[in-house]
């Protein structure tokens, strides 16, 4: 299997990646299921909720904004949390799909499926990206936006556009390698106090966090908190919290049938009028118009992912 580097991802003639399956899946809290042998490298992204999964017998936890790269030929079992089952995005990448071969926009999940062990499809050697690889991302990160775009494009075309699927595959490989190279170094540029506050917001944004709460958590003044966010994040601490709430609100508007008021409550903004006002002020559109213009998102069946 030929190795790849981040310097010549798209120019390399040694492999031709392609997206062969993609979708969203809202798991049910009372159902586990297993796919015995999936022949893809998959991006598995938890957008909300939680749970766990086993790959080849090894268990991994799953919470909001966890992104996993899963290995080729994997046996995977999904275990959603009973009270808060995960809502996930899945993008299946065939790292080397031979040009000129018959295009099949699907991925074998067991030996009896079409294309299993096809000579036209194969894995490649990705140094430092073997096995199960975990990243922590935010909804606004480039990789997250690209994954969402890829899923929506695939659902729209049902995978019929081979050229688009191959272009998206190359873009995802490039973004994956950039993420690998920056994932550990980017966080080191931020003060430890700021990282603690960001993690606190990520875990508790639905409880209407205040700047004073962040200050108390790190034992510093409000002005110190404001200075850290403004200097390192480019926005105020209050706006950072609101942005996180509204990102989740967007996900819920597109992926659920909850009312506008229920979406606001779910992200920690209990007053429907205030929620709609904040949404319009920051996103320049009302929550109902956002849902009309961008959703709903169809979901694949629950038997495969």
């Amino acid at each position: 299997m030929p190795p790849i580097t981040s310097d010549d991802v798209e120019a390399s003639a040694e492999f031709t990646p392609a997206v062969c399956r993609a979708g969203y899946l809202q798991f049910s809290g009372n159902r586990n299921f297993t796919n015995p042998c999936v022949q893809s490298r998959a991006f598995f992204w938890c957008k909300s909720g939680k749970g766990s999964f086993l790959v080849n017998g090894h268990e991994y936890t799953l919470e909001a904004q966890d992104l996993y790269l899963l290995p080729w030929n994997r046996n995977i079992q999904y275990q959603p949390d009973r009270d808060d089952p995960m809502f996930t995005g899945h993008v299946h990448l065939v790292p080397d799909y031979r040009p000129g071969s018959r295009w099949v926009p699907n991925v074998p999940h067991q030996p009896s499926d079409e294309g299993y062990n096809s000579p036209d499809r194969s894995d490649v050697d990705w140094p430092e990206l073997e096995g199960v690889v975990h990243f922590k991302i935010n909804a606004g990160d480039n990789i997250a936006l690209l994954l969402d775009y890829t899923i929506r494009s695939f659902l729209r075309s049902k995978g019929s556009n081979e050229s688009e699927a191959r272009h998206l595959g190359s873009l995802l490989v490039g973004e994956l390698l950039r993420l690998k190279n920056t994932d550990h170094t980017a966080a080191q540029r931020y003060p430890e106090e700021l990282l603690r506050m960001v993690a606190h917001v990520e875990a508790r944004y639905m409880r209407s966090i205040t700047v004073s709460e962040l200050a108390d958590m790190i034992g510093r003044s409000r002005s110190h908190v404001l200075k850290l966010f403004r200097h390192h994040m480019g926005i105020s601490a209050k706006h950072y919290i609101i942005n996180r709430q509204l990102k989740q609100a967007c996900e819920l508007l597109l992926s659920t049938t909850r009312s506008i008021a229920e979406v606001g409550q779910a992200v920690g903004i209990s007053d429907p009028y205030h929620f709609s006002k904040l949404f319009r002020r920051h996103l320049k559109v009302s929550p109902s118009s956002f849902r009309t213009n961008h959703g709903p998102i169809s979901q694949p069946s629950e038997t495969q992912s």
Side-chain angles (χ1 to χ4, degrees), residues 270-281:
S270 57
D271 183 341
Y273 173 77
H274 183 54
F275 170 64
S276 295
K277 183 178 178 181
L278 274 177
F279 198 98
R280 184 184 292 273
R281 179 190 301 165

Side-chain angles (χ1 to χ4, degrees), residues 24-165:
Y24 296 105
L25 184 57
Q26 175 62 66
F27 286 79
S28 171
N30 60 2
R31 184 180 179 188
N32 297 358
F33 64 89
T34 300
N35 290 315
C37 191
V38 188
Q39 293 193 324
S40 75
R41 288 287 193 109
F43 295 87
F44 182 33
W45 177 22
C46 182
K47 297 169 74 62
S48 62
K50 57 186 176 181
S52 63
F53 63 97
L54 282 79
V55 171
N56 301 330
H58 298 280
E59 186 172 11
Y60 303 87
T61 59
L62 197 65
E63 297 181 341
Q65 309 311 330
D66 280 332
L67 172 65
Y68 284 90
L69 178 68
L70 305 180
W72 184 273
N73 264 349
R74 64 190 172 278
N75 176 291
I76 183 166
Q77 180 181 0
Y78 301 97
Q79 301 176 323
D81 183 84
R82 286 188 172 274
D83 299 321
D84 188 17
M86 60 265 200
F87 173 65
T88 59
H90 306 247
V91 174
H92 292 265
L93 185 78
V94 173
D96 194 8
Y97 199 135
R98 185 172 63 84
S101 59
R102 187 168 73 94
W103 175 247
V104 180
N106 206 349
V107 167
H109 282 59
Q110 54 189 350
S112 60
D113 288 346
E114 179 184 10
Y116 185 79
N117 279 345
S118 168
D120 297 326
R121 302 172 176 222
S122 62
D123 195 11
V124 297
D125 180 19
W126 286 352
E128 301 181 44
L129 289 173
E130 300 301 331
V132 176
V133 184
H134 174 249
F135 302 99
K136 199 73 174 180
I137 63 173
N138 293 308
D141 291 348
N142 287 345
I143 187 71
L145 297 173
L146 181 56
L147 287 169
D148 266 332
Y149 178 81
T150 299
I151 293 172
R152 294 176 190 180
S153 295
F154 193 91
L155 292 175
R156 181 185 65 248
S157 68
K158 306 301 181 184
S160 61
N161 191 327
E162 178 182 353
S163 176
E164 179 181 66

Side-chain angles (χ1 to χ4, degrees), residues 152-274:
R152 294 176 190 180
S153 295
F154 193 91
L155 292 175
R156 181 185 65 248
S157 68
K158 306 301 181 184
S160 61
N161 191 327
E162 178 182 353
S163 176
E164 179 181 66
R166 289 186 180 278
H167 283 302
L168 288 171
S170 293
L171 289 172
L172 280 168
V173 170
E175 199 57 48
L176 170 66
L177 294 176
R178 280 186 284 273
L179 180 65
K180 176 184 74 71
N181 292 332
T182 61
D183 184 57
H184 300 295
T185 59
Q188 294 173 359
R189 295 197 297 264
Y190 297 117
E192 188 271 340
E193 289 177 331
L194 180 61
L195 293 176
R196 285 172 56 200
M197 289 188 288
V198 167
H200 187 79
V201 172
E202 189 65 35
R204 297 176 176 82
Y205 63 86
M206 70 294 295
R207 300 179 185 175
S208 293
I209 297 171
T210 65
V211 176
S212 295
E213 179 181 339
L214 294 178
D216 290 342
M217 188 192 74
I218 64 171
R220 303 296 292 265
S221 66
R222 277 175 51 90
S223 61
H224 181 76
V225 170
L226 296 175
K227 184 182 297 184
L228 280 177
F229 272 89
R230 179 65 67 181
H231 178 72
H232 293 279
M233 311 298 283
I235 59 174
S236 70
K238 180 179 179 181
H239 280 182
Y240 184 90
I241 296 167
I242 292 172
N243 286 347
R244 183 62 189 90
Q245 291 173 310
L246 294 182
K247 283 180 181 178
Q248 183 63 20
C250 289
E251 297 293 342
L252 294 176
L253 288 168
L254 294 180
S255 63
T256 74
T257 58
R258 296 183 187 181
S259 68
I260 303 301
E262 288 172 332
V263 169
Q265 290 176 345
V267 300
I269 308 173
S270 57
D271 183 341
Y273 173 77
H274 183 54

